[in-house]
Amino acid sequence: MDLRRQVAYRSKRLNHGHLVEADLRYGTREALGPHAVMLFFTSPGPSEPHGYRLHTGYRLFLASPESDDLPRLLADLTAVAESNIARSAAAGRRWHPLGPHAAMVNGGDMTLPPHAHYVGAGVSTLDSDDGRWDQLARSLRNPAATGLRRSAWDLKGQCFVLLVDGTAMHIERNPHARLGDDGIRSSKPLDPNWNTCWHNPNAGLTEQGDHTARERWRHLTALHTIFTTHLHAGRPA
């Protein structure tokens, strides 16, 4: 349960960093797309409160029609991962998404300590129920007739995460959330005192929402499955 919370809080931080960087680059040749991919790993950390350290690599994408379409972006990454695995196996190497050959990340923890292992994948997106990123970014630079101005610090963001223990999480980062509202919906409990007899309305999280939401989960599941199958092969049960 601690890992679920740590991943959720790390995702929020990465989403905020994604927002700040996208705001800084908006309108330039290096403008960022609204979606990023996150990969989570843990390594032994005997001095840490729960005995592990969390590591996160991420990939940001330049703005383009392809990077604006999240299902397409995830499907393309899944195909690239499959190709990299096959090509590395043919060359007698074992591919890893953090590299050194054909790395799939361009930020965060680019190298891992010994005995680190994969625990999940996620998406950071700057689209929210307030609107799409491109619309929101334009509104920051062209305030409404009311004269009210907002900054990037006022904008929401959200993340979608799948972990190897079967947990799915939808994490909303809302700078104006009420105190005590962490914005985390999880298919598995985050509270160690959770009673197994209680109903969890988010148990079927990946099947909830409209067609677009379900497609997002479906493509993230495909990418996560590739990583889980490949990176956990040969590990002791």
Side-chain angles (χ1 to χ4, degrees):
M1 293 184 184
D2 177 73
L3 178 61
R4 294 169 196 158
R5 283 203 173 276
Q6 292 301 319
V7 167
Y9 295 145
R10 179 71 56 86
S11 297
K12 281 189 179 183
R13 291 208 306 270
L14 289 173
N15 182 266
H16 182 260
H18 181 191
L19 172 66
V20 170
E21 191 67 18
D23 185 51
L24 288 172
R25 295 201 209 178
Y26 182 78
T28 73
R29 295 178 61 184
E30 298 298 313
L32 290 177
H35 313 300
V37 170
M38 308 175 290
L39 300 180
F40 302 99
F41 302 82
T42 59
S43 66
S47 62
E48 300 294 326
H50 294 274
Y52 71 89
R53 294 187 181 91
L54 178 63
H55 310 273
T56 312
Y58 60 82
R59 179 162 181 166
L60 303 176
F61 299 87
L62 294 178
S64 70
E66 294 79 11
S67 65
D68 284 351
D69 184 337
L70 181 54
R72 177 179 176 180
L73 179 66
L74 292 172
D76 288 347
L77 282 180
T78 300
V80 168
E82 290 175 325
S83 177
N84 287 340
I85 291 168
R87 189 161 45 246
S88 293
R93 298 193 303 262
R94 182 171 173 78
W95 178 75
H96 195 284
L98 270 60
H101 303 285
M104 292 189 73
V105 300
N106 54 18
D109 297 316
M110 305 288 283
T111 59
L112 296 173
H115 310 300
H117 63 275
Y118 171 78
V119 294
V123 167
S124 162
T125 178
L126 304 182
D127 294 344
S128 71
D129 56 10
D130 283 342
R132 293 178 56 85
W133 163 245
D134 56 348
Q135 300 167 333
L136 296 170
R138 283 198 302 272
S139 73
L140 295 180
R141 290 150 179 85
N142 299 288
T146 60
L148 295 176
R149 287 185 173 272
R150 292 197 302 171
S151 74
W153 299 90
D154 294 306
L155 300 185
K156 297 178 183 177
Q158 55 185 334
C159 301
F160 304 86
V161 173
L162 293 173
L163 300 180
V164 294
D165 69 353
T167 301
M169 290 190 289
H170 173 219
I171 304 142
E172 183 181 56
R173 182 189 53 75
N174 182 357
H176 302 295
R178 292 175 300 176
L179 186 65
D181 181 3
D182 61 12
I184 304 170
R185 296 166 59 212
S186 176
S187 66
K188 293 192 175 183
L190 300 176
D191 185 349
N193 297 318
W194 180 270
N195 188 323
T196 56
C197 296
W198 294 345
H199 171 66
N200 179 4
N202 300 310
L205 187 59
T206 59
E207 299 301 323
Q208 297 173 1
D210 58 16
H211 174 74
T212 300
R214 293 193 300 272
E215 279 294 283
R216 179 174 52 220
W217 283 117
R218 184 172 71 84
H219 286 286
L220 180 57
T221 297
L223 182 63
H224 172 58
T225 299
I226 288 291
F227 289 139
T228 302
T229 302
H230 174 64
L231 296 175
H232 284 214
R235 289 187 63 230

